[in-house]
Amino acid sequence: MHVTHLSLADFRSYARVEVPLDPGVTAFVGANGQGKTNLVEAVGYLATLGSHRVSSDAPLVRMGAERAVIRAAVTQGERSQLVELELNPGRANRARINRSSQVRPRDVLGIVRTVLFAPEDLALVKGDPGERRRFLDELVTARSPRMAGVRSDYERVLKQRNTLLKSAAMARRHGGRSLDLSTLDVWDQHLGQVGAELLAQRLDLIATLQPLADKAYADVAPGGGPVTLEYRSSVGAEAGPERSRDELYAQLIEALAGVRKQEIERGVTLVGPHRDDLVLGLRGMPAKGYASHGESWSYALALRLASYELLRGEGNEPVLVLDDVFAELDARRRERLAELVAPGEQVLVTAAVGDDVPEVLAGARYAVSAGEVERL
């Protein structure tokens, strides 16, 4: 799968830009702040419905504009599709496939798939659990786009349940009449159902990803491993393929019952996939807090490389995006990473200077300056 044309309107710094793309390596070169990362960010947004740089859509819309449009022509085998997203901060986003059919934004998931390397990836190792949950859930959705709906349902149910618990906690603290919590059992069942599905997908993913991550780390940093991926569940679930949804549902319901008193006191849901973590191990120790800066970078790269191998092995090779990564790496890691990704069907690279792009990644090159994109 590769993107053959990228079109942006009022996205970030671009009033309008048209960028034809070829298979193989394409490098966008320009000084910081000129807009090169905005191009690959747009491609990544089509794949995940989110940015790797910001948590909301508002910064993605050019100042003074009401909306932004990302449009890409995508080819997979003999099939070509045109996918379009209209970003409307404060209102519902809109999507089209092949111009004529208006669909929900999440219906475009799976048309474009990316694995994106960026400086922000260091947070996968050094950051809080939310970063690692996001990594897992984006990869789960890349494998199975229908999981976008499951994730959305989980967030909706969690919000409703927390609202009920917060109201109960406020009433309790202010000595008012106790709220009727009979509906809490219903919310427990809903949370258990969608939570069990999300949990099952995460556990299956980790079991599949573990050997790939260990191999990728050995490729990036020979002799530096082994690495381990351990899912730390708030309900005691353990990683493994094809875990029974019924079993996980029962675990979630039991766990919710066990903390109900504390939840009513604190006004928040205390167990579930939103409270879990992925513990990254390196040579038998937690990578967070023990790994050096270079080891942390290697670990983050290994997770992305493992993701790429996983998706490629499942039949739809993703676009590889390397956003200003090489400047962060020492010479050895830079060359190793370049050698590993060079065979990709499509590799998009951003760099401040051309010399930052290793020679093995020869291909098309664009100069990016002040919102202008010119092929060299």
Side-chain angles (χ1 to χ4, degrees):
M1 185 274 294
H2 62 275
V3 177
T4 60
H5 194 95
L6 177 67
S7 174
L8 304 179
D10 292 323
F11 182 85
R12 288 286 197 181
S13 58
Y14 294 101
R16 185 169 297 276
V17 68
E18 305 287 338
V19 185
L21 295 168
D22 300 322
V25 177
T26 298
F28 299 101
V29 180
N32 292 336
Q34 299 304 300
K36 59 187 184 296
T37 291
N38 300 346
L39 299 170
V40 295
E41 180 182 28
V43 176
Y45 194 101
L46 290 172
T48 64
L49 301 184
S51 164
H52 69 287
R53 303 159 75 193
V54 294
S55 59
S56 69
D57 288 348
L60 305 180
V61 179
R62 190 172 64 91
M63 187 174 294
E66 293 184 359
R67 64 184 64 84
V69 175
I70 307 170
R71 185 181 299 113
V74 184
T75 295
Q76 180 181 0
E78 299 298 319
R79 185 184 186 192
S80 295
Q81 295 187 84
L82 184 68
V83 57
E84 177 182 310
L85 286 174
E86 180 181 285
L87 280 55
N88 299 294
R91 296 175 290 124
N93 292 343
R94 302 173 66 185
R96 290 183 182 275
I97 299 174
N98 296 332
R99 294 192 184 276
S100 59
S101 56
Q102 188 166 319
V103 296
R104 298 171 300 177
R106 74 186 189 206
D107 290 332
V108 309
L109 291 171
I111 297 176
V112 177
R113 297 209 293 183
T114 63
V115 170
L116 188 147
F117 301 73
E120 290 83 357
D121 283 346
L122 203 58
L124 290 176
V125 181
K126 294 189 172 184
D128 62 37
E131 298 287 346
R132 291 178 287 279
R133 288 195 296 267
R134 178 183 175 186
F135 164 74
L136 291 175
D137 290 344
E138 287 186 351
L139 189 50
V140 158
T141 304
R143 297 180 80 192
S144 178
R146 71 174 183 82
M147 288 302 298
V150 175
R151 291 168 60 191
S152 178
D153 289 345
Y154 185 84
E155 291 167 3
R156 176 182 57 80
V157 172
L158 180 64
K159 182 178 180 180
Q160 295 282 1
R161 192 175 187 277
N162 280 341
T163 297
L164 180 59
L165 288 170
K166 185 176 181 180
S167 297
M170 292 291 289
R172 188 186 186 98
R173 289 171 192 154
H174 291 88
R177 187 174 61 182
S178 298
L179 292 179
D180 180 8
L181 294 176
S182 59
T183 57
L184 194 56
D185 288 335
V186 177
W187 288 118
D188 284 2
Q189 292 171 17
H190 289 324
L191 193 76
Q193 289 166 356
V194 290
E197 180 65 21
L198 180 57
L199 188 53
Q201 293 287 337
R202 285 184 183 177
L203 296 176
D204 176 68
L205 170 63
I206 292 169
T208 307
L209 200 63
Q210 165 67 66
L212 297 175
D214 191 40
K215 180 182 183 301
Y217 191 91
D219 289 338
V220 173
V227 305
T228 55
L229 311 181
E230 177 192 351
Y231 191 75
R232 187 162 293 171
S233 168
S234 57
V235 302
E238 296 180 353
E242 299 181 1
R243 294 297 306 275
S244 164
R245 272 57 167 177
D246 291 341
E247 176 189 355
L248 294 171
Y249 171 80
Q251 286 184 264
L252 276 164
I253 294 299
E254 183 180 359
L256 288 167
V259 296
R260 177 170 288 196
K261 181 178 179 181
Q262 297 98 300
E263 287 186 332
I264 293 173
E265 290 173 351
R266 296 175 58 179
V268 67
T269 301
L270 296 175
V271 296
H274 66 289
R275 306 280 291 196
D276 297 350
D277 194 7
L278 174 64
V279 180
L280 306 176
L282 178 63
R283 297 189 299 276
M285 301 293 289
K288 183 177 180 180
Y290 286 92
S292 69
H293 183 75
E295 288 172 333
S296 297
W297 255 114
S298 295
Y299 212 131
L301 292 173
L303 291 175
R304 294 302 188 189
L305 286 169
S307 302
Y308 169 67
E309 291 297 333
L310 174 63
L311 295 177
R312 185 171 69 166
E314 292 179 345
N316 187 1
E317 182 170 342
V319 177
L320 280 165
V321 180
L322 290 81
D323 180 24
D324 206 21
V325 168
F326 291 114
E328 302 284 340
L329 302 176
D330 59 39
R332 181 175 63 87
R333 288 185 175 89
R334 181 184 302 189
E335 293 303 321
R336 288 296 297 145
L337 177 60
E339 291 169 1
L340 291 168
V341 304
E345 180 176 349
Q346 187 169 52
V347 183
L348 305 180
V349 182
T350 71
V353 295
D355 288 345
D356 282 346
V357 182
E359 291 183 4
V360 71
L361 294 179
R365 185 163 295 198
Y366 286 88
V368 182
S369 178
E372 298 291 330
V373 183
E374 181 182 1
R375 186 159 187 166
L376 301 176

